[in-house]
Amino acid sequence: MKSQDYPLSEVPLSSRKTLFSLSWVLMGFTLFTATMFAGGKIGLAFPFWPDLIMIVFIGNVLLGGYAALLGHIAFHSGLNTHLLARFSFGRVGVGLVDLVLGLTQIGWYAWGTAMLAVYSLQMMGISTYSAYYTLYLNSIIIFVGMAFCITALIGYRGLESLSLMAVPLMLFLIIISLYHSYEASEAVSFSPSKALLPSLSYSLAITLIFGTFSSGATQSTNWTRFAPSSKGAIYASLLAFLICNGLMAFVGAVGAFVYAEPDVVKVLLLQDLFWFGCLMLLLSLWTTQDNTIYNFSLAACHLFRTNNRRLVTLIGAVVGIILALFRIDQHLVDFLVLLGILIPPIGGVVIGDYFFVRRRSYPPMSEMTFPNINIAGLSAYFIACVIAYTSPGIAPINGIVAAVIVYSLLGRLFHFSNCDVERKL
């Protein structure tokens, strides 16, 4: 069980990790190229000070606070996202959570694998009109798709080892890129009024910052369940989702503001950082991709009630590679944006269940039997999704707050804190 990272049970105190270890793993997860692309879009739409800085700050404070709340719950329960959701959605109802989170992660895995292949050929100057372009592309997809899952196959220890090597190097490369942007900024007269996205509202900009990694924050319990203490889970979450994720968004925004280019890879090429750019792209994707497929493995293990996480990880990687070969990345963005609205309410239901219905106490999983459906959880989830999709403001935050309020009211009203689970005799 220990070698499989406890996919269907609590992480015992004897298997908890240090704050140092947990922080590196979470930082590796959040140093993600897609966050730089989100920052790049915002950098083309707003003045640098105070608008751009405030948007990045607010978006990541909200994201970090959300992840920290879930981290606190994960430490005290020792449970991953899917096991936590079983309490608030029911034994069968939680299958919806498994599907939504699992499909999202396999979609991101396919996206990241295809993106690395596409940008690798772009940075090497190989044209899409080349006779061998498709062959090169597919070969890279297959190779990196299998390579990305190696550390996830090992488990937490593999994720930790890669992060310990990659995170300091990525931070160094980020500093170099920021220095080049600073040097170039004195000669730039780029005006945000000519931005590619001049009509981008403040709420939508914050939604982009928060929403790009909201699914990752919702599943951060998959690692914070290994935390040595509540403070450790909170500090590691804030370091990763507030500071590191904020840094990635800031770098993307600054590059776009200075060079009028939202594509972070093209910015690196404009900075004459070819090899640095290749290395940053590889490391930022690898440290996120292995965590992504790890998330998928936990979702699938819970859905099919199996402890064989390594086999599930390998199957997931193969599925992701197949989707990447069919270039699903060209059609997936809108779908993933929609899932960004559908995922945060899951975390909201879990938060409402822990703090306001069960009053900060989960019984051991081995002593519980669950109903098939928790009506309060499913009702709160669907209502929150509708509110997130239709209401003005910051959609993910609206979904989380609505889920917390609705579930807390329904759970207390129907006494689900006492009636939805029974202790085994």
Side-chain angles (χ1 to χ4, degrees):
M1 177 71 73
K2 181 177 180 180
S3 63
Q4 299 286 350
D5 281 1
Y6 309 98
L8 296 180
S9 64
E10 300 93 336
V11 176
L13 292 177
S14 60
S15 295
R16 299 301 178 97
K17 308 297 181 179
T18 64
L19 173 60
F20 179 82
S21 167
L22 180 62
S23 297
W24 284 111
V25 171
L26 284 177
M27 284 193 292
F29 183 42
T30 54
L31 292 175
F32 185 32
T33 307
T35 306
M36 298 176 74
F37 281 97
K41 292 181 179 180
I42 297 169
L44 288 175
F46 296 95
F48 182 78
W49 178 264
D51 306 61
L52 191 60
I53 298 299
M54 290 303 299
I55 288 170
V56 172
F57 177 75
I58 293 172
N60 285 284
V61 164
L62 294 172
L63 185 67
Y66 173 58
L69 274 176
L70 291 174
H72 172 80
I73 298 172
F75 161 73
H76 283 286
S77 65
L79 301 174
N80 62 46
T81 304
H82 308 276
L83 295 177
L84 287 169
R86 196 188 295 186
F87 284 93
S88 46
F89 286 84
R91 184 175 60 85
V92 176
V94 74
L96 173 66
V97 176
D98 298 335
L99 286 173
V100 170
L101 296 181
L103 289 174
T104 303
Q105 295 307 297
I106 206 66
W108 274 119
Y109 193 79
W111 179 89
T113 301
M115 282 298 96
L116 179 61
V118 169
Y119 281 118
S120 296
L121 295 180
Q122 177 182 324
M123 297 180 81
M124 289 186 289
I126 299 177
S127 170
T128 55
Y129 299 104
S130 170
Y132 297 102
Y133 180 84
T134 302
L135 176 62
Y136 293 150
L137 181 71
N138 291 343
S139 298
I140 295 175
I141 286 175
I142 294 172
F143 177 76
V144 300
M146 294 307 300
F148 282 152
C149 79
I150 292 174
T151 44
L153 283 171
I154 298 171
Y156 184 99
R157 185 166 50 86
L159 306 179
E160 177 187 24
S161 298
L162 177 62
S163 296
L164 285 171
M165 180 274 294
V167 170
L169 186 53
M170 279 193 289
L171 292 175
F172 174 70
L173 296 177
I174 287 171
I175 292 173
I176 292 177
S177 178
L178 281 174
Y179 177 74
H180 278 260
S181 295
Y182 172 76
E183 282 195 324
S185 63
E186 297 182 358
V188 171
S189 59
F190 173 63
S191 171
S193 63
K194 299 178 181 178
L196 298 179
L197 298 171
S199 61
L200 192 65
S201 66
Y202 284 93
S203 61
L204 182 55
I206 294 174
T207 298
L208 282 174
I209 295 296
F210 186 97
T212 300
F213 228 81
S214 60
S215 63
T218 302
Q219 297 174 86
S220 62
T221 59
N222 296 341
W223 300 281
T224 48
R225 64 195 172 115
F226 288 96
S229 65
S230 176
K231 287 183 178 180
I234 292 171
Y235 292 158
S237 298
L238 292 175
L239 178 62
F241 290 93
L242 170 58
I243 298 178
C244 282
N245 193 74
L247 179 62
M248 293 297 279
F250 177 73
V251 171
V254 169
F257 186 86
V258 172
Y259 297 96
E261 175 55 69
D263 190 323
V264 64
V265 175
K266 293 180 179 178
V267 168
L268 292 171
L269 292 177
L270 289 172
Q271 294 176 332
D272 294 324
L273 297 175
F274 173 77
W275 291 111
F276 281 175
C278 289
L279 187 58
M280 181 186 290
L281 183 65
L282 174 63
L283 292 178
S284 67
L285 282 172
W286 196 327
T287 54
T288 301
Q289 288 289 89
D290 61 352
N291 283 277
T292 296
I293 202 66
Y294 182 85
N295 283 339
F296 167 81
S297 70
L298 293 181
C301 281
H302 189 260
L303 180 64
F304 296 107
R305 301 299 194 267
T306 175
N307 282 307
N308 198 341
R309 187 191 58 78
R310 289 176 178 167
L311 176 61
V312 172
T313 299
L314 187 59
I315 293 173
V318 171
V319 173
I321 290 171
I322 293 173
L323 293 175
L325 289 173
F326 280 98
R327 298 304 310 280
I328 194 173
D329 57 291
Q330 296 178 334
H331 312 285
L332 197 64
V333 175
D334 292 337
F335 177 60
L336 291 175
V337 169
L338 177 62
L339 289 179
I341 294 175
L342 299 180
I343 288 174
I346 294 173
V349 169
V350 170
I351 292 170
D353 185 53
Y354 179 78
F355 285 103
F356 301 108
V357 175
R358 300 184 192 280
R359 299 186 180 277
R360 307 186 181 190
S361 177
Y362 280 118
M365 292 288 294
S366 60
E367 298 180 6
M368 305 309 301
T369 180
F370 297 87
N372 288 333
I373 300 293
N374 184 334
I375 298 175
L378 287 174
S379 299
Y381 172 73
F382 285 117
I383 291 171
C385 287
V386 172
I387 291 174
Y389 185 75
T390 59
S391 62
I394 305 171
I397 295 298
N398 293 344
I400 293 169
V401 172
V404 171
I405 294 173
V406 175
Y407 181 80
S408 299
L409 293 174
L410 291 179
R412 296 295 298 278
L413 178 63
F414 294 106
H415 303 288
F416 278 102
S417 59
N418 297 316
C419 302
D420 63 345
V421 293
E422 300 175 355
R423 287 187 178 273
K424 292 180 179 178
L425 298 178

